[in-house]
Every structure is written in C-alpha cells, then in structure tokens.
Amino acid sequence: MLQIQIDGKQLSVEQGSTVIEAAHQAGTYIPHFCYHKKLSIAANCRMCLVEVEKAPKPLPACATPVTDGMVVKTDSPLAKKAQQGVMEFLLINHPLDCPICDQGGECQLQDLAVGYGNGASRYTEAKRAVMGKDMGPLVSAAEMSRCIHCTRCVRFTEEIAGVQEIGMINRGEFSEIVPFIGEVVQTELSGNVIDLCPVGALTSKPFRYDARSWELSRRKTISAHDALGSNLIVQTKDHGVRRVLPLENEAINECWIADRDRFAYEGLYQNRLSQPQIKQDGQWHVVDWQTALDYAAKGLRGVSKDFGADAIGMWVNPANTVEEMYLARELAVGLGVKAIDSRLRQLDSRLSGSLKGAPWLGQSIAALAQNDAVLFVGANLRQEQPLLTARIRQAAKQGMKVAVLASGTETLHMPLAAQTVLHPGAWAQWLGSDEAAALLQGAGKAAIVLGAEAQNHPDAAAIYAAAQALAQSSGATLGILPQAANSVGADVVGVNATAAEHSIAAQIAAPKKAVLLLNVEPDMDVANGGAAVAALKQAQTVMAFTAFDSPVLREMADVLLPITPFTETSGSFINMEGRLQSFHGVVKAAGEARPLWKVLRVLGNVLGLSGFEYESSEQILARAVNAETLSGSLNNDCTAPAAPAADTGLLRVGGVAMYATDAVVRRSAPLQATVQAAVPAARVNSATLARLGLVAGDTAQAKQGQATLAVTVAADDGLPENVVALPLHQANWTLGALLTTVELSKG
C-alpha cells in the first residue's frame, strides 16, 4: 500500500492507483469529463488538473499514478486556475442552446461550468458548427456542435462493446466524432453512450424533446427482458414511462444496460388491452371484471365436469413474477390440473421430471467471469445475453479462456480459445470427445454453460447428460443460461411439467379442451407457433390473460383479460445466479388492466378455492419463497439418460431474434427499426446451397410440417453443412419449431 495526502487527508491506496481513484476513495471530488472508471485513460479533457507537490505544473489526476508520499491539492489556487482555464477553452465553441437541449438539468458540463466557469466569455470570434450524424434509430447525434471530444463513446464501443463503431477524425478545432462512413451504430449496447456523454451531443432518439429531467419521477425496478436481472431506473411522467436508465449494481449489470432493457419501454403502450372482453357468437363484447371472471370460472367448471381436470392446460410465461407463478400453481392444484408448464420452447420432454432442482448459472455472475476457462454450448451469446457477453468479453481480454460450441460462427469481439461449429446433431458426441476435454484440461477453475439451443434441442437430454459428464470429469461447474427473466423462479415455484404428458409440446400434440394463457402469445412465445395456434383453435375455451391485444389471440380465445406488464405491478424475479430481486410498480395500471396476481387471486375466490386471501404481493412471496427454500432449490443435476444423437438432416437453427423475445420488446418501434430486427434471410453453407440447387439471393420455399413460407437465402460458410440459420421472427412464426427439420426448395 502507498501513502498519499489529498487536501490534507492521509490515506493508503493500492499500488497502481491513480490520483483520481485515490481522491474518490477519500471522498474528494475532482472535476472531470473524459475519465470513467470502466474505460481506459484518455486524459484528453484536462479538466481534472490538480497540484502535485514538487511537480512543475498541474497534472491530470486521471493519468497520474500515485507514488508513495505524494501530496496532492485539488482546490489550491494553482489547481483552480488550471481547471478554470480548461473550462474556458471547453466553452469557447459550445453552443448556447441549453434551453432546448435534452441534456439540460443533467449536463455535466452545465454543472461544472457553474463552479469553474467565468461569468462572461472573453471569446468574440465565430463559434464553429459541426454537422449532425446519423447513428441509427436509438442514438441521436443531431447536435454534434455540443461535443467536447471526451472520447468516452469511442472508447466504449471499442472496449466494452468490442468493436469500434465510433471514432474521431481530423485534429484540433476540426476534430469530429463520427460513426463509420455510411454505417450506423449497430452494437446491442449502443444506448450506453448516451449515459456516458457528459454533454448533449449524444442523446436518446426515442426520448428526444419528450420531457425535462426535473419533470420526471424516478423509480427503481428490475428488467424483465432476460435472465440477467439488470437493475433499472425508470423515469416517469403523467403516469407513463418516459425513459429507462441503468441503476448501478456491480454484481449484476455493473453500470450498463442492454438496448433491449433501455428502449423496450416504447412498446408498453402499443396495442394495450384495456378492458375485459368476451367473445359470443363470433363477436367481441366489452364487459366488467366480475362478468369476465364469472364467465372464465363457468368455463373451467364446465370443462372439468364434462371432461375432467386433465382436459385443462395452463401455459405460463417464464417472465411472469414469482408471485404470479405461485398463484398459477395454486390455481392448478385447486382445480386438479396437472398440465401446467412454463418451458414454452422445450422440445425434449425427457428432461421433464429428471432435473433434481431449478437449473441456474451454477455460480454468481461475477464468479463466472473469474473462471480460468468457460465452454459455452449452444448459445447465441450476444443475441441471448448481450450484457453478460460484455462481462465475459472483459474477462477474455484479461486471460480467461473462452471456448464456444455452436451451430454457427458468431462474431463475439473477444479472443477465443476455440470456436467449434458443428451440426447440432453432433453436439452430444463432441462433448464426450477428447477435444472437448482438452479445452478444460489444466484450467484451475472452469465452467460449462448451456445456452438456449442446447436446452431447446430435440435431443437436449443427451446434450445435458454429456455436458454433465464432462463437467464431472474435468471438475468444471455446469451452468444454464435461463431463457427468460424468471425461468429460475418458475422451477423454484414449481410451474414446470414434471411428466412428459404435461409439457407444452404434449398439449399441442393432444389439444386440451380449456387452456389458460398466462401472459403467453402462442404464435411467438411457444416453440412451434403455428402448431400451437392450431391446437388452441380446437379448444372449447381459451382464456388469454394478456397485456396486449393481438389478432392471433382474438382468433383463438373467447376471453381476454387485461393484465399489466412488469412496470405496473409489484413482484419478484429470480435471476440466473439465483438472486431474488423484488420491485414495485413504477406507474399505475393502464385502463382497467390489473396485475396478474390480483386477477388469479380473485379468480380463485370466484372458483371457491382456499388459499387465495392475499392482500399484497409481499404476502404471496413470503409463502412462495424464502432464503432457505431458494438456495436448496438451485440444482443442475439431471438424471435424464443419454440417448442417440438427433437427426442430422437439414436443421433450422438461429434462436429467437434479439428483438423478438417478448411482447413488450416486439412492440417497441425503435428496437424494431434496428438492423437486428430486420426480417432475417435463411443463411446456408454454400455447399449445402449448391446441393439444394440454390444460389445466394434466391427466393426459396421453407417448409416445416404443414407450413410453407417464402424466404430469401444467403450464403454463410460460417455455418456447418445441413443447417439453415433462420431465427424466429415476427415474419416467420407460422413455420415449425427451431432445431427441427426444415426443407428448402426453389421458389
């Protein structure tokens, strides 16, 4: 430890610390613009100049390493004069447009100018003007004259996002921050440059001119868009969500959030279902809640009486809260319903009942990044877990060996020890090979992590068994990347099928007479959307508990019950590391929508079931989960036997498109305008294309089961042979399930 004195305070700091880090430790604020604790040192704004004893001139605190016995003065006349001089230079060309700037009220330059700026400018020459830039549908760079060239955005895209998509051209007063020529910023983490920008040069395009910072109320919540459980600050006005920002939590999301978390709120108020409705004689009628619930209860009683409780199925969204899932389970128990499931995309029902507990990451998020080696199996990392991928990227840069087994080559922007691309039918066999064992050999601490494609594979039991055996033989930790915000919670609470005949796939194969859709849009949320819709059309009654209206639901359902999204209810999620995080609603419910837990509680009362007397979500949580039951529920051990490899024929892969993952994201116009949300082409290895008699650019007919769809084909030699990469997207939901056989023929 080194000894340093800052403004008269003595403290000990670690070797290698900088003066600004030592000052932060001492609680002393040093003004700065370009410095950020998660980015490399640039030292180009010079705002953090301080006086260091025996130094001939002021030194930048962000780039000056601490030496033993150093004496620093941050508020001496010399330091203040240097800081004021820097501020005067920064304001020379800055436009005087604070009254219309979206950064007004939360601008770092504005704040520091009050403390370090002069009352009037000595600069009388013409100010420079810089043309605005197009950075895509999420980030506005329309007023680049405000830029002070701190280069935080440049360093973020290069160091955190992994590829430099923003750079600085020219020199001196001609310097400009620009995206690559002819390109927009495409990283799935792009919104973080908005938070990093200390002025109003980069702002949120969807939020542009929407509200002033002092008009907004701030509420804490948890993201419902993936299993990381990112902590969020939701800013509201007039009972509506206006902006979403990261809430720093070093253990989970650090100080970042993914674009999916930041901009999904734009979909909250699109196509909202605001009143209960019942369909009679083919016509929809708006009714009150009591009438709708009486109708639903009558339908459930009727089906149970005529066909038995086994004729009722419950499809549960794994992004529902713990409290909602618990009441769903209690409702199923009260009705005698066994066919309740939240593994909406699972194809291999042999896993049902063979897991000894709730599958989870197997360790904390922070601990995952501290492994010496990690093998990811069947994961489209950036697509499934954009923010976790950024953490892994930093660990890989610091020496962690990252290996990937996947159905295609994914550009991860990180050093990889190995990237093995194989047909999914060969994964189980490869995991038992010497090649797989060699990747983990000699690693002090290692992990094997199964992604969505491994979990949803028709031969998932064999892949799981092979991965489990490899983990045991190599001493590695086996982990799962859960596919939704509360997938772990679904297993902990017990709303997953414990027998193959109760799975979603079984309910599609043998349709039920009554189905409750608990926040599920069957066309997009279920493995085989087309078959799911067809099965539901055969039901006598389908009750859709949904926040959103949709033509598909109106076609198959006879009851629509408006529920609230996560922003309008209190509840809890259990994230991938098994961390229970509770939150409150940030705005009041839209229209007559009600939280799902309240709807299920009242439905239980209408049905005359016991155990539905709760008055708050906290009461439900206390009954559903406690610290002891949670820790004891997390277990990745599986007794499913290994089985022969799956069909190695032409297989559809690609996962769920990044911005097609849930109902809110699918309705967010800014996210749907990004390149990641474009209608995907069917990418195929050129050798496979030639065998099929196709060439890149052709329109082909893709066929799965009874469904056929015209798709554009593209050549991609990063894929193995006999694979078609066609992610699930709103434009192709009528096709069959991912990871099943597909036919491609000339259109």
Side-chain angles (χ1 to χ4, degrees):
M1 301 293 285
L2 303 177
Q3 301 301 311
I4 182 175
Q5 184 186 106
I6 299 180
D7 293 340
K9 295 180 183 177
Q10 288 290 146
L11 63 152
S12 299
V13 298
E14 293 183 3
Q15 180 84 33
S17 299
T18 61
V19 171
I20 200 168
E21 291 168 342
H24 179 73
Q25 181 180 326
T28 300
Y29 178 75
I30 297 177
H32 61 274
F33 292 112
C34 68
Y35 170 77
H36 190 277
K37 63 182 179 180
K38 294 289 184 180
L39 303 177
S40 62
I41 301 299
N44 53 10
C45 79
R46 317 307 281 185
M47 191 65 212
C48 63
L49 291 174
V50 294
E51 181 181 354
V52 177
E53 191 176 81
K54 298 181 181 179
K57 59 182 180 180
L59 299 177
C62 68
T64 302
V66 170
T67 58
D68 200 30
M70 178 181 277
V71 177
V72 177
K73 298 177 182 177
T74 68
D75 59 353
S76 68
L78 179 64
K80 284 187 174 180
K81 182 179 179 181
Q83 293 162 357
Q84 289 168 352
V86 170
M87 177 58 69
E88 185 174 20
F89 275 114
L90 288 174
L91 294 176
I92 278 177
N93 281 311
H94 199 77
L96 300 176
D97 60 353
C98 296
I100 64 160
C101 178
D102 267 342
Q103 200 84 352
E106 53 189 10
C107 175
Q108 199 172 340
L109 180 65
Q110 200 175 54
D111 293 341
L112 293 182
V114 173
Y116 300 90
N118 296 321
S121 175
R122 296 182 292 168
Y123 186 78
T124 58
E125 291 77 11
K127 290 178 178 284
R128 76 169 194 157
V130 180
M131 290 292 293
K133 309 295 187 296
D134 179 15
M135 291 194 180
L138 305 179
V139 179
S140 172
E143 286 93 9
M144 292 306 291
S145 295
R146 301 171 183 163
C147 179
I148 61 170
H149 308 137
C150 70
T151 69
R152 280 182 174 182
C153 57
V154 176
R155 285 174 283 149
F156 174 83
T157 59
E158 182 177 8
E159 298 167 13
I160 308 299
V163 60
Q164 186 178 355
E165 294 187 286
I166 302 175
M168 187 162 70
I169 60 172
N170 303 326
R171 299 184 68 183
E173 67 172 321
F174 302 105
S175 297
E176 292 185 44
I177 298 292
V178 297
F180 282 4
I181 296 174
E183 299 288 338
V184 297
V185 179
Q186 298 183 11
T187 172
E188 59 278 5
L189 307 174
S190 67
N192 291 291
V193 303
I194 299 168
D195 301 332
L196 288 171
C197 185
V199 293
L202 301 179
T203 56
S204 169
K205 190 170 282 189
F207 180 69
R208 190 167 161 80
Y209 299 141
D210 190 24
R212 294 306 234 161
S213 63
W214 54 84
E215 300 175 310
L216 300 170
S217 299
R218 290 158 177 79
R219 304 286 185 269
K220 298 177 183 179
T221 192
I222 306 299
S223 170
H225 305 300
D226 64 36
L228 192 70
S230 294
N231 289 204
L232 308 177
I233 294 175
V234 177
Q235 298 185 329
T236 67
K237 179 185 175 184
D238 299 332
H239 304 296
V241 176
R242 297 301 183 91
R243 187 165 58 165
V244 175
L245 301 174
L247 174 62
E248 185 170 349
N249 187 325
E250 192 65 26
I252 300 175
N253 57 297
E254 300 176 274
C255 56
W256 319 117
I257 54 173
D259 289 348
R260 190 161 56 194
D261 301 324
R262 185 184 299 271
F263 297 107
Y265 76 90
E266 284 282 315
L268 285 170
Y269 306 107
Q270 303 300 315
N271 309 118
R272 282 294 296 271
L273 182 68
S274 59
Q275 295 174 295
Q277 298 183 34
I278 295 174
K279 183 163 63 176
Q280 293 179 325
D281 300 324
Q283 298 296 316
W284 284 98
H285 304 278
V286 175
V287 297
D288 58 42
W289 268 106
Q290 189 62 51
T291 301
L293 291 173
D294 286 342
Y295 181 92
K298 181 181 178 181
L300 291 170
R301 289 194 193 102
V303 169
S304 182
K305 179 180 178 181
D306 295 342
F307 305 100
D310 287 344
I312 302 174
M314 296 176 67
W315 299 11
V316 183
N317 192 320
N320 290 342
T321 66
V322 168
E323 295 82 354
E324 292 163 349
M325 290 181 176
Y326 178 78
L327 285 188
R329 190 196 73 183
E330 292 300 287
L331 184 67
V333 170
L335 293 171
V337 174
K338 296 179 181 178
I340 178 172
D341 198 7
S342 68
R343 294 196 182 106
L344 304 178
R345 303 191 191 279
Q346 180 177 285
L347 296 178
D348 190 351
S349 56
R350 292 172 300 175
L351 285 174
S352 299
S354 63
L355 291 161
K356 293 186 177 180
W360 65 303
L361 189 59
Q363 56 194 309
S364 71
I365 294 166
L368 177 67
Q370 293 169 359
N371 279 279
D372 298 304
V374 179
L375 170 62
F376 290 98
V377 180
N380 295 296
L381 280 172
R382 290 173 61 194
Q383 186 171 301
E384 295 174 32
Q385 298 290 342
L387 204 53
L388 179 67
T389 305
R391 189 185 282 261
I392 297 299
R393 183 176 296 121
Q394 300 309 306
K397 289 180 179 179
Q398 294 169 14
M400 184 173 79
K401 289 173 57 179
V402 178
V404 176
L405 169 65
S407 59
T409 302
E410 184 181 13
T411 304
L412 294 172
H413 306 305
M414 69 176 81
L416 296 175
Q419 189 168 34
T420 305
V421 177
L422 292 175
H423 188 286
W427 288 354
Q429 183 179 356
W430 183 89
L431 286 169
S433 69
D434 292 338
E435 183 181 352
L439 289 173
L440 302 176
Q441 190 173 9
K445 183 184 177 188
I448 302 170
V449 181
L450 304 183
E453 286 196 331
Q455 298 168 54
N456 297 334
H457 197 291
D459 204 24
I463 294 171
Y464 203 113
Q468 186 171 250
L470 177 59
Q472 291 170 349
S473 64
S474 61
T477 300
L478 179 63
I480 304 294
L481 285 181
Q483 297 176 56
N486 205 20
S487 294
V488 177
D491 279 294
V492 170
V493 172
V495 292
N496 283 326
T498 55
E501 61 267 24
H502 300 146
S503 67
I504 297 293
Q507 294 185 54
I508 292 174
K512 300 293 183 180
K513 294 294 182 181
V515 179
L516 282 70
L517 300 176
L518 302 183
N519 196 23
V520 172
E521 296 190 324
D523 49 332
M524 289 296 297
D525 293 334
V526 180
N528 193 335
V533 170
L536 291 169
K537 287 179 180 178
Q538 299 179 48
Q540 185 173 301
T541 178
V542 174
M543 305 167 193
F545 300 70
T546 176
F548 300 98
D549 203 342
S550 81
V552 174
L553 287 177
R554 283 191 175 273
E555 184 179 5
M556 73 182 67
D558 58 314
V559 186
L560 294 176
L561 300 172
I563 61 172
T564 58
F566 75 104
T567 50
E568 298 168 20
T569 182
S570 57
S572 308
F573 294 141
I574 300 176
N575 75 347
M576 62 172 65
E577 64 180 0
R579 183 189 298 251
L580 178 70
Q581 300 186 101
S582 297
F583 55 90
H584 296 285
V586 299
V587 290
K588 70 177 184 179
E592 294 184 27
R594 297 291 182 267
L596 178 57
W597 69 265
K598 289 187 177 182
V599 178
L600 292 174
R601 180 198 65 189
V602 177
L603 180 58
N605 293 333
V606 173
L607 287 165
L609 304 177
S610 61
F612 286 83
E613 295 80 29
Y614 302 100
E615 295 182 359
S616 68
S617 61
E618 289 80 6
Q619 290 179 348
I620 305 172
L621 179 64
R623 185 69 177 271
V625 178
N626 59 52
E628 185 177 340
T629 59
L630 177 55
S631 61
S633 299
L634 304 175
N635 193 329
N636 286 330
D637 289 346
C638 180
T639 58
D647 183 9
T648 56
L650 192 62
L651 212 65
R652 181 184 174 194
V653 300
V656 180
M658 184 180 295
Y659 298 138
T661 50
D662 63 70
V664 179
V665 168
R666 291 191 288 265
R667 288 170 172 82
S668 171
L671 291 179
Q672 297 309 316
T674 62
V675 293
Q676 292 95 334
V679 176
R683 295 180 291 110
V684 187
N685 182 288
S686 56
T688 304
L689 272 182
R691 180 172 56 79
L692 296 172
L694 297 167
V695 296
D698 277 352
T699 298
Q701 295 298 316
K703 183 179 181 182
Q704 286 187 282
Q706 303 301 312
T708 303
L709 185 70
V711 296
T712 302
V713 297
D716 184 351
D717 288 335
L719 296 167
E721 291 196 40
N722 292 325
V723 154
V724 177
L726 183 60
L728 175 64
H729 184 275
Q730 294 92 315
N732 60 36
W733 68 266
T734 55
L735 286 174
L738 294 162
L739 294 158
T740 59
T741 302
V742 62
E743 297 177 25
L744 274 187
S745 58
K746 190 93 170 178

